[in-house]
Amino acid sequence: MTDRAARLAADTLALVEIASESRDEAAILDAIRPRLAEAPGLRLADDHDAVLAALPARRPGVPLVLLAGHLDTVPVGGAVRPARDGDAVRGRGSADMKGGVAVMLSLAEEGAGGASVDLGYLWFGREEVPITESALLPAFDRVPELRDAALAIVLEPTANALEVGCNGNLQAVARVRGRAAHSARPWLGDNAIHAAIEALGPVADLPVRDVEVDGLVFREVVSVTTIAGGVAANVVPDLVEAHVNMRYAPTHTPEEAEARLRELLGHPRAELEILGNAPPGRVCLDNPLVTRLRTSGDLRVRPKQAWTPVAEFGMVGVDAVNLGPGDPRYAHTDDEQVTATALARTHEIVSAFLAEEA
């Protein structure tokens, strides 16, 4: 293991040991803030509402590139305790995405930069909750300079592949109402569960839909993720509530996705409430900085099947891509982990990108 890999692994473990579930990121912000104060060539441009933005002095005609990442994690649940295990760092948030945060901090403290780009950093909380609670979007209003970025590299877990775009994420709840009765005399009531089986059938029977964008295939899916109904074993239920999640390709607007879901759940007994609708992210393979990043690391390119903050950057006109050390298969799992080798590889890729001339 190289010295850099060992340092990045140790830093990742220290960050994993700081609990930072969504909406409770104060402790990890406190750990990062003093390190930024010592980082050469950066000024703290924003320190509000779970956001830290550090920007360089701008040079005329030189594009701004942002390294970005979220500080929050999903609940710890049954995740393994934070630990080093050979090459692996284990614990909640190690893959998604405190390994990426450690790489960002290392680059900032080294004063990483390039002759042809100005490099800034953006950390934020509340990424693992609905977009209606976004900490990132308000930061673009507080610091308009962030909107000037020519590219944002979001260090989400990609196993060091270049993942472009992202699927939209529509969350809704479908309600089917009935009339309660004794289960010995069900004809006196109206069974909401029986009606819900019919109402949710179009979702259960829906095949995966592949959508190609610039040669990349995004997979559109709709799933019932939770369902609840009934009050007792001998009572005909009068209400069923089912959460429905639609993931849709960058070819569709949020409004089109909502219309499609309402069509699927157009049963006369179904009431649909939209809980959140995070838009998809643009596939920006036409951005010359993305081409440069791709060639700098000889990176494999694939679509981002999950939703990530690249979509929020796109909402304010900033191209963004996903590139990070975590392996997506470990994100949110009880055996969440990232390797020191992968951490060092991300550092190497970004450093090579910065060293390239325009």
Side-chain angles (χ1 to χ4, degrees):
M1 184 184 299
T2 66
D3 288 345
R4 172 169 288 130
R7 289 195 301 271
L8 288 168
D11 207 8
T12 298
L13 179 60
L15 292 168
V16 171
E17 289 174 334
I18 303 172
S20 59
E21 291 184 17
S22 301
R23 309 181 188 94
D24 190 17
E25 300 93 350
I28 196 166
L29 287 162
D30 288 344
I32 291 173
R33 190 179 291 108
R35 296 177 63 173
L36 287 181
E38 301 298 323
L42 295 173
R43 61 180 174 85
L44 192 58
D46 192 30
D47 184 2
H48 296 86
D49 191 27
V51 173
L52 289 172
L55 296 176
R58 295 301 310 281
R59 294 172 291 170
V62 177
L64 173 66
V65 173
L66 296 174
L67 298 184
H70 66 86
L71 300 172
D72 60 321
T73 72
V74 296
V76 173
V80 296
R81 294 178 61 84
R84 283 278 300 277
D85 179 11
D87 193 45
V89 178
R90 301 179 187 273
R92 176 64 72 227
S94 53
D96 190 12
M97 54 162 283
K98 291 183 178 179
V101 170
V103 173
M104 291 171 63
L105 281 169
S106 176
L107 290 164
E109 290 174 330
E110 292 168 13
S116 58
V117 299
D118 290 336
L119 187 64
Y121 300 83
L122 181 56
W123 291 272
F124 49 94
R126 300 200 303 276
E127 189 268 351
E128 299 285 8
V129 295
I131 194 172
T132 51
E133 297 185 50
S134 172
L136 176 57
L137 287 175
F140 293 114
D141 293 327
R142 291 193 301 268
V143 188
E145 187 177 353
L146 296 172
R147 298 172 180 259
D148 296 335
L151 180 67
I153 303 171
V154 183
L155 279 79
E156 284 277 354
T158 71
N160 281 319
L162 182 64
E163 294 188 340
V164 295
C166 74
N167 276 334
N169 182 9
L170 173 55
Q171 302 277 356
V173 60
R175 296 185 179 89
V176 177
R177 303 184 187 277
R179 187 172 67 256
H182 197 295
S183 61
R185 294 174 290 279
W187 58 86
L188 297 179
D190 183 359
N191 194 310
I193 289 179
H194 293 178
I197 291 171
E198 181 179 350
L200 296 172
V203 170
D205 295 337
L206 194 68
V208 174
R209 178 172 179 252
D210 289 345
V211 179
E212 185 174 323
V213 183
D214 290 347
L216 302 172
V217 176
F218 291 83
R219 311 205 79 191
E220 293 190 329
V221 292
V222 186
S223 305
V224 177
T225 54
T226 71
I227 191 166
V231 295
N234 59 350
V235 177
V236 169
D238 64 353
L239 176 65
V240 170
E241 291 189 334
H243 282 83
V244 182
N245 184 206
M246 169 183 275
R247 302 296 175 121
Y248 58 96
T251 51
H252 303 305
T253 66
E255 294 75 19
E256 289 169 340
E258 181 178 334
R260 174 60 174 150
L261 188 60
R262 291 191 181 279
E263 178 185 345
L264 288 169
L265 295 173
H267 191 280
R269 298 283 297 277
E271 306 168 6
L272 191 65
E273 178 188 355
I274 304 299
L275 302 178
N277 193 354
R282 188 177 91 84
V283 175
C284 55
L285 289 174
D286 56 348
N287 186 315
L289 287 170
V290 175
T291 301
R292 176 172 150 186
L293 177 63
R294 179 180 181 178
T295 57
S296 295
D298 191 21
L299 301 178
R300 178 185 176 190
V301 179
R302 59 193 186 199
K304 188 60 164 178
Q305 293 299 143
W307 184 90
T308 78
V310 300
E312 292 177 287
F313 282 98
M315 291 170 70
V316 297
V318 175
D319 283 346
V321 296
N322 304 282
L323 171 68
D327 189 322
R329 66 181 168 144
Y330 289 116
H332 300 187
T333 67
D334 286 347
D335 191 28
E336 189 169 353
Q337 58 185 271
V338 67
T339 67
T341 302
L343 294 167
R345 173 61 177 152
T346 308
H347 188 288
E348 174 189 305
I349 293 167
V350 176
S351 297
F353 165 75
L354 296 171
E356 287 285 333
E357 295 294 334

